[in-house]
Amino acid sequence: MSTTRRDLIRRLRLLLVLATATTLALFFAYRGVHDDTVPLSTASTPGIRAVDTARGALRQANAVVRETGAEGDTSGEFLTQISVAQQSLALAASENVTGLTGRHDVQTVTGLIAVYSGWVERRGREPEGSPLRAAYLHYAEKVLGVEAEAGTEGDIMSRLDALRGEQLAEARRQAAFPWQLWLGWCTVAVLYAALCGALLETQRFLRHRFRRPVQLRLLAATAVCAVGVPVLAWQTLSAHRAMTDSVAGVQVPPAVPDAVPEGAGEVRGALADAGFWASLSDLIPLGGAVVAALALWGLWPRIAEYRFRSQR
């Protein structure tokens, strides 16, 4: 009695199981990396750069106060830098990197900036040579937390440093590749190799059993696997490298405020296509369904043919 039908059914079941398992493993492993690329590129790193911009603007504002006379305390340059700091903090709050705690910290810092500006304005209203000018500047710089007063708990710079540290910790978490992801991608590699091997073995079986050189439907399923999985794996590796580079780019605050826009542009460039590649995760189940359908389409006519023969 011929075992061809039984062999075909066994191979079909194996292909369907491997296609389903590979699709599920690839979907979750791919999402495990790419679900964090968009938040990292559109929220975390911009939030960090916004804090850096605010820090730089406040330092420049304080430098204007120190380098100019009474007329410079509330000059256009000072007010411009204060406005830049406030707008940057508003952007940092809108990115919502660290949640409710981060927004509360930004609100606190915004209030302290108003206090700092108030002391500077009071200094500006004092005549040149008044001893109160030095006192008001001291109070203002104590609220700000510049180098001379660095380390004072609760000042603006200390709070901004703490906020930046929390944002950076979140960015590092997003760019990490923990053991769960390693396990997921190793599982994908094993299942992918098994699926490709099963497809090739099935085609070899059909070629020897039915004397047909090529089974086009199984060949198409093999092509989908051979192209799709390596492309997604390579893009995932590239995305992880870009994420790591982005975090490294914001690791240390820039020494020069003018370097902040340049660094932000580099971060956006490294992850410019993050949204597109992340959206491809929705196509993974479709690709798995195509492979399974092609395998079923390729083998079922032969299985049905042997069923009819056995009935006769």
Side-chain angles (χ1 to χ4, degrees):
M1 181 178 179
S2 175
T3 61
T4 301
R5 184 172 184 273
R6 184 178 59 193
D7 292 340
L8 289 171
I9 292 175
R10 184 173 66 248
R11 284 171 170 80
L12 176 59
R13 288 175 177 171
L14 178 62
L15 289 176
L16 294 179
V17 169
L18 287 175
T20 302
T22 304
T23 300
L24 291 175
L26 179 61
F27 177 78
F28 288 110
Y30 189 83
R31 289 285 297 268
V33 175
H34 289 270
D35 275 1
D36 286 325
T37 56
V38 175
L40 180 65
S41 63
T42 61
S44 299
T45 49
I48 293 172
R49 286 308 189 193
V51 172
D52 290 340
T53 301
R55 293 171 78 255
L58 290 170
R59 290 186 183 279
Q60 286 189 324
N62 197 67
V64 170
V65 173
R66 279 186 161 274
E67 293 172 2
T68 59
E71 70 282 357
D73 288 349
T74 55
S75 66
E77 178 63 20
F78 172 81
L79 295 177
T80 297
Q81 295 301 329
I82 292 297
S83 177
V84 168
Q86 291 173 333
Q87 291 174 8
S88 299
L89 290 175
L91 175 61
S94 68
E95 300 299 353
N96 198 27
V97 179
T98 57
L100 183 61
T101 302
R103 292 199 300 272
H104 180 267
D105 291 340
V106 169
Q107 291 172 353
T108 302
V109 171
T110 302
L112 288 175
I113 291 176
V115 175
Y116 166 75
S117 299
W119 284 117
V120 171
E121 291 173 2
R122 293 182 66 177
R123 177 181 185 267
R125 290 195 293 267
E126 294 296 323
E128 194 72 38
S130 170
L132 290 177
R133 287 177 57 79
Y136 290 149
L137 178 61
H138 171 76
Y139 295 148
E141 291 187 338
K142 186 174 184 179
V143 173
L144 180 60
V146 293
E147 289 82 359
E149 299 289 343
T152 303
E153 184 178 357
D155 60 46
I156 293 174
M157 290 301 178
S158 296
R159 289 180 180 275
L160 287 179
D161 289 342
L163 176 60
R164 191 185 196 281
E166 294 171 359
Q167 292 175 322
L168 186 59
E170 177 63 16
R172 286 172 177 162
R173 184 200 66 77
Q174 291 168 339
F177 205 92
W179 67 267
Q180 293 92 338
L181 285 178
W182 281 110
L183 178 61
W185 278 101
C186 288
T187 302
V188 170
V190 171
L191 291 173
Y192 167 70
L195 177 58
C196 289
L199 284 167
L200 293 174
E201 192 280 331
T202 301
Q203 293 177 75
R204 185 189 64 82
F205 173 80
L206 293 176
R207 184 171 62 250
H208 287 291
R209 179 64 183 81
F210 299 102
R211 308 299 180 185
R212 295 187 60 180
V214 177
Q215 221 293 348
L216 292 178
R217 293 161 190 168
L218 292 180
L219 185 62
T222 306
V224 172
C225 293
V227 174
V229 176
V231 167
L232 294 178
W234 174 255
Q235 181 53 39
T236 300
L237 177 60
S238 300
H240 176 63
R241 288 175 177 171
M243 294 168 74
T244 302
D245 292 343
S246 296
V247 172
V250 298
Q251 189 83 22
V252 180
V256 181
D258 292 342
V260 173
E262 180 181 351
E266 292 175 355
V267 169
R268 286 193 297 268
L271 294 169
D273 299 325
F276 169 75
W277 288 105
S279 67
L280 291 186
S281 63
D282 296 332
L283 297 180
I284 292 176
L286 177 61
V290 168
V291 172
L294 287 171
L296 182 62
W297 193 17
L299 290 179
W300 188 253
R302 292 295 182 182
I303 294 173
E305 177 184 342
Y306 273 85
R307 182 185 62 187
F308 295 144
R309 288 184 182 181
S310 62
Q311 289 176 352
R312 289 196 299 265

